């Protein structure tokens, strides 16, 4: 899978994507990640990428002409057209379903805004999906883009290694994940649920399912809406 990123701050991407699972996915050629600087496509002497908003208001808006040129350049770097995703608080709330949809794409082109955002004509004519990672405003789309890259990479076949698979986790069955325990079996008088030490796999699976249900009912009843009560 190829992911291209358009940003004013390429340096923001150094670090989180250079470690562990995402790093290995890149080294193994499972994820082909490229970061591009939007400012390279500003044409004036001052390399301007933003301007004052028509109609007034505070802050600056990123120019559609600069973004169009940057996107056209990036598009030309690979044969697949790519799905253009703009990170914005006004987007669809990211969830497991959307992550899986995006992970199925051969190529994503993520657009990270700054200031007050981008000219709406860019969104209207060039963006395929607007995505939000939560109901809060950040200084830029870079962190949301890194969240998206991390979440999507987990679904690239082979990225989690042969053992684990994204099926067995939170949200995969629409529920929150069950609690996890490991050694020591006893710590400061705190013990591990007996069933997990029993080696009885059917009982363990049942206990974990019950835990997922109870946790979800207690913490995230919204995830259960519209579902008949799962047995
Ligand atoms: N919740 C989110 O996913 C999110 C995304 C982007 C963002 N901020 C950028 C800065 C200017 C505009 O492009 C939007 N804040 C929050």
């Amino acid at each position: 899978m190829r992911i291209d990123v358009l940003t004013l701050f390429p340096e923001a991407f150094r670090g989180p994507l250079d470690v562990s699972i995402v790093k290995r996915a890149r080294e193994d050629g499972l994820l082909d990640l490229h970061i591009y600087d939007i400012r390279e496509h500003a044409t004036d002497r001052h390399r301007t990428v933003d301007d004052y908003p028509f109609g007034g208001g505070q802050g600056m808006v990123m120019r559609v002409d600069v973004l169009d040129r940057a996107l056209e350049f990036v598009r030309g770097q690979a044969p697949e057209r790519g799905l253009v995703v703009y990170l914005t608080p006004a987007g669809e709330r990211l969830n497991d379903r959307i992550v899986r949809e995006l992970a199925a794409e051969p190529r994503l082109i993520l657009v990270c805004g700054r200031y007050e955002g981008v000219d709406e004509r860019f969104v209207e004519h060039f963006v395929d999906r607007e995505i939000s990672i939560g109901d809060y405003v950040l200084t830029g789309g870079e962190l949301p883009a890194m969240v998206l890259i991390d979440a999507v990479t987990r679904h690239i076949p082979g990225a989690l290694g042969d053992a684990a698979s994204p099926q067995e986790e939170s949200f995969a069955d629409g529920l929150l994940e069950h609690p996890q325990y490991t050694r020591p079996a006893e710590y400061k008088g705190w013990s591990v649920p007996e069933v997990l030490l029993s080696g009885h796999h059917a009982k363990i699976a049942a206990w974990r399912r019950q835990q997922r249900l109870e946790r979800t009912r207690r913490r995230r009843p919204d995830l259960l809406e519209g579902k008949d009560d799962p047995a």
Side-chain angles (χ1 to χ4, degrees):
M1 167 175 217
R2 178 174 172 127
I3 300 181
D4 297 304
V5 179
L6 279 166
T7 173
L8 288 171
F9 299 100
E11 65 273 25
F13 287 82
R14 278 203 295 276
L17 308 177
D18 302 325
V19 299
S20 187
I21 301 277
V22 176
K23 176 187 180 186
R24 192 165 34 250
R26 295 170 68 185
E27 287 172 346
D28 294 352
L30 297 176
L31 170 64
D32 183 16
L33 179 68
H34 300 264
I35 314 292
Y36 296 96
D37 185 350
I38 296 167
R39 197 172 294 279
E40 297 290 309
H41 303 277
T43 48
D44 66 312
R45 201 156 49 89
H46 301 287
R47 294 181 14 121
T48 311
V49 297
D50 61 317
D51 208 331
Y52 296 96
F54 281 124
Q58 90 281 11
M60 304 293 276
V61 175
M62 293 176 74
R63 295 171 53 121
V64 59
D65 57 341
V66 176
L67 287 163
D68 179 9
R69 273 198 303 275
L71 177 58
E72 187 178 1
F73 170 80
V74 169
R75 276 228 146 98
Q77 302 307 302
E80 304 91 346
R81 180 160 180 72
L83 189 84
V84 178
V85 174
Y86 174 52
L87 291 311
T88 168
E92 301 168 78
R93 277 292 300 273
L94 186 63
N95 58 31
D96 189 63
R97 174 182 55 77
I98 296 176
V99 169
R100 292 168 187 272
E101 286 169 10
L102 296 178
E105 294 289 333
R107 184 187 186 191
L108 297 177
I109 302 177
L110 309 184
V111 179
C112 305
R114 283 272 161 170
Y115 315 112
E116 298 310 309
V118 306
D119 186 299
E120 189 60 18
R121 288 167 292 180
F122 180 76
V123 176
E124 190 179 335
H125 297 289
F126 297 98
V127 170
D128 298 305
R129 277 188 96 161
E130 295 176 81
I131 299 285
S132 168
I133 63 166
D135 294 335
Y136 39 84
V137 179
L138 300 169
T139 56
E142 285 76 15
L143 286 172
M146 283 183 257
V147 165
L148 186 57
I149 293 166
D150 186 295
V152 162
T153 297
R154 297 182 70 258
H155 289 273
I156 299 175
L160 292 182
D162 310 332
S165 85
Q167 311 313 326
E168 278 296 302
E169 62 184 13
S170 259
F171 305 104
D173 55 359
L175 302 175
L176 300 182
E177 63 191 359
H178 54 263
Q180 299 279 10
Y181 299 87
T182 188
R183 287 177 294 187
E186 192 77 28
Y187 180 69
K188 291 188 176 180
W190 308 327
S191 58
V192 169
E194 280 303 315
V195 65
L196 297 179
L197 309 177
S198 70
H200 196 300
H201 299 295
K203 280 187 181 172
I204 290 168
W207 181 85
R208 285 175 167 169
R209 168 87 179 159
Q210 184 55 30
Q211 289 291 315
R212 288 203 298 274
L213 279 169
E214 279 172 22
R215 263 189 169 189
T216 308
R217 281 198 192 102
R218 207 170 42 249
R219 300 182 188 181
R220 290 292 307 277
D222 60 295
L223 291 177
L224 295 174
E225 271 157 28
K227 288 190 175 192
D228 50 6
D229 195 32

